[in-house]
Structures are given as C-alpha cells and as structure tokens.
Amino acid sequence: MTIIPNSIEGRDIAYQMHPNVNLRKYEKTGGVVIESGDGIYVFDNNGKRYIEGLAGLWSVAVGFGEKRLVEVARAQMEKLPYYHTFAYKTHGPSIELAEMLIQMAPVPMSKVHFTSSGSEANDLACKMVWYRSNALGNKDKKKIIGRIKGYHGVTIASGSITGLPRNHESFDLPLDRMVHTSCPSYVHFGQENESEAEFTARMLKDLEDLILKEGPETIAAFWGEPVMGAGGVLVPPDGYWEGVQKILKKYDILLVVDEVICGFGRTGNMFACQTYGIEPDVLVLSKQISSSYMPLSAILMNDSFYQPIADESDRIGVFGHGFTASGHPVATAVGLENLKIIQERDLVGNAARLEEQFLSRLSELAKHPVAHSSRGVGLLGALEINPFADGKVGDAALAVAAALEKEGVIARAVGEAICFCPPLIITAEQIDEMFDALQRALDAVA
Ligand code: PLP
C-alpha cells in the first residue's frame, strides 16, 4: 500500500514512534488508524468496522462509547480535574474507589495504593517488597521469582520480572535480583508421554529446586498471573496454584498476584484468585478497573504486608514514593463508575454464562487443518495454529491474524497462538459473529 506523506497515516509515520513494533517495518507499512468505537466494535478512518476481539489491550470490559463513564469524567473534570494524594492531602474519588476495592477483594486486604499502569503497579509492588524486607531487617531477602512467559510490564523492575526475551533483549534486563522458574503451560512444555499431573509435579519441583538453589532466605516474593495473558493465554494445569502456594508458605515467600488482565470478571469470577483458589499477599490490578478509559492501576495489600512498611516509613519519616498522578481524581472517579457498571450489569455473570459457548466454538475451530489446539477460561481464550513448515515461529499465527483483520476482527497473535479477550459486554450472537470470521480466516490461510 502506498502511503501519502501528508495523509494521517503518513504523518503518523513521520512523527510518532510506536511501542511494541519493528520500528523499521512500521516506517514502511504504517498502522491502521482507529477513529471511533461503539460497544464491542471499533471503526477505522475508512469506516471499516472491526470486532475488538482483545478489548483493546485486554481491557475495555464495558465496551467502547459507554456514556456513563464519559459523564462521570466530565463532571469530575469540572469539579476537581486534578489533585494529588501527596503530603497529607486526599480527595473523594480515590477514597471511594479504595473502599470499594477493599470490599470487593477476593481475600481480606488492608490498603490500596493507586498508580496509573500495570507496569508501574508491579514496579512499585516490587519496591514495596524490598522496603518491607528492609523494615523487617531481612536485608538479603530481596530476590523475586517470575516465570518464563510471564508478563508484568516493561519498566525496569516489572520488565525484569516479565519472562519474555523480547522484553529483555538489548534493554540490559532482567536485573540480577530477578530469577525465573518454568512456565506451567502443558501444551508448550509437556514432555512426550508425560501426563498433565506429572507435568504439574515437575513444574512444582522446578520451583522448589530454584528456591533451594538460590537460598530461601534470599527470596522475597513469587510473582504470577493466574492465567498468563501476554505470554499467550496460558491456563494453569489443575493443582498448580495449590502446589505453588504450599511451597511459598514452606519457605516464607510472599505471593504477589498480577490480575491486570484477569481481574474484574475475565475468568467468570470477579477475580481469578477465586477461580483458582489463590490467596495473595499483594494483588495488582489495572486495565478492566477503569475499562482503560483512564489510565489507572492499584496495588492491594494485606495487613501483614502493610504494617512493616508503615513502621519503616515512621522510622525514616516518609514512604518515599509517589507519582504526580497517583489516585488521579478523574481516573479514580471513572474507575468507580466502571466497577459499578460491571456489578449492575452483571458482566461477571455474562462471562460465566458465555464461557461454554466461547470455549466450545474455539475447540471446534481447533479441528480446522490449520489449527492445533485451543484453551481458555471465562472470556479469555486462544487458538494455537500449526506452524508453517517453511516459516519462522509465529508466521502462521500472524497470517491468521491478518486474515482475521480483513474479516473485521482484531485479535492478537502471540507466538503460534491467536488470543481472544473480547469486551465483557459481548453477546452470544456476537461471539458467533467473531468466530464465524475466524473460520473464514482459517479457510483463507489453509
Ligand atoms: N501485567 C499484566 C498481566 C499485563 O497483561 C500487563 C499489560 O498487558 C501489564 C502488567 C502491564 O500493564 P501496562 O501496559 O499498563 O503497563
């Protein structure tokens, strides 16, 4: 496609450096200009309509164009467009949202601290873990265990906990304090003739071996997404989380659960901690917390995590951390209204009710000659594509994603998988519309 220099696409190439792309390739191809959104659909500048099969970036739970959020943002902008939460000041929207999150939390939590992105939240949770170890006099208990294919963001600490080479290479990551254990994806790492139960046992042994090798007294926390999202929608095998928690308790290691994708209904429960029986010390939330209408994230911590941090701030005189936008009043007001909508419209129930249809359509499509297998939970799923015999890893999934986009559905290719995470407002008919398009895309690639 020829790009006219003065067109919007041309000016985009001329002036904007995009995240997460091959920059040289982008200079040649440019991107699709998305202009507006309505419900589960977005529209490009040529008027083409797409189902947003990934809810933007796994985040727009209530769909695009939700007027209640627009109205709350406008009203808050007029009343108090900005204020901070530093230096003994606070404001209503941040207080109300913090209270609501404590009431909703899947396990008893004591305090909420607001940030603006998932990366910032994980980064700060990591700093808090270190601060707490210092407060308790455990100066050597600082290592963090992440997992291969785990994704927790891109800042220096969160990017180091992330277990994806593409986020490390040439950035001089990960930091030395971060170590990674095996990825519990049976479909990718199960060995020949190994049952799923045997695989789980091996994953747990890998974790315990790593702890013993590093020295349990040096390890502060384990970090994990209940279902790995950006790593390719990797659903944990039965018994995995139960086993992980037993090991962490045995060695006095904190559990930080990253529900940036899973939180607020995605797995058919309000939190994936409920789906998998996980009891975190720290819970990291973002994305669906505000349906990403405003940048917002939150760290929830239990009392035994919070108290030593509070004591240390008393000793030093300050908890020396905070952002200009921590608890931003417009973001927290929008978050609060968004969570009210999720509750009032029972979007969590919608995800639970549609799970069977969503997953069975995917597993039907997995029988297509181009496809290998499917997986998922709630309204989060992936179709694994057979690699091209003569291509690089990921070529086949990229080809399917491109064909799907032509059919009017945006989804995400990760490795050899096509990932789906539609807005929670999706209906049964729209799930069929999305997967009918996938069927045509698979036919086109075959
Ligand atoms: N944690 C998880 C599980 C994520 O999926 C993401 C983003 O996709 C992040 C953290 C980072 O969030 P952000 O992109 O807002 O920094």
Side-chain angles (χ1 to χ4, degrees), residues 30-50:
V32 177
V33 179
I34 300 295
E35 221 169 48
S36 62
D38 183 21
I40 67 160
Y41 302 101
V42 292
F43 300 83
D44 72 16
N45 57 337
N46 297 312
K48 178 169 173 166
R49 189 184 81 164
Y50 305 83

Side-chain angles (χ1 to χ4, degrees), residues 57-58 116-120 122 151-154 225 227 229-230 258-262 284 286-287:
L57 279 178
W58 326 79
S116 301
S117 69
S119 300
E120 277 177 358
N122 280 305
Y151 186 77
H152 304 287
V154 288
E225 304 151 83
V227 178
D258 179 343
E259 288 220 35
V260 165
I261 287 181
C262 293
V284 177
S286 189
K287 295 190 188 275

Side-chain angles (χ1 to χ4, degrees), residues 10-55:
R11 283 159 48 221
D12 177 42
I13 290 174
Y15 301 118
Q16 191 169 191
M17 178 178 167
H18 284 261
N20 225 35
V21 293
N22 172 336
L23 293 165
R24 287 284 177 242
K25 186 172 169 203
Y26 198 94
E27 287 167 2
K28 295 191 191 88
T29 63
V32 177
V33 179
I34 300 295
E35 221 169 48
S36 62
D38 183 21
I40 67 160
Y41 302 101
V42 292
F43 300 83
D44 72 16
N45 57 337
N46 297 312
K48 178 169 173 166
R49 189 184 81 164
Y50 305 83
I51 292 180
E52 231 317 340
L54 207 78

Side-chain angles (χ1 to χ4, degrees), residues 262-273:
C262 293
F264 307 107
R266 180 55 58 190
T267 66
N269 287 300
M270 188 57 85
F271 296 99
C273 283

Side-chain angles (χ1 to χ4, degrees), residues 83-85 91 93-94 114-116 296 323-332:
Y83 212 73
H84 58 81
T85 48
H91 53 72
S94 66
F114 290 112
T115 42
S116 301
L296 182 65
F323 297 107
T324 304
S326 298
H328 192 288
V330 182
T332 44

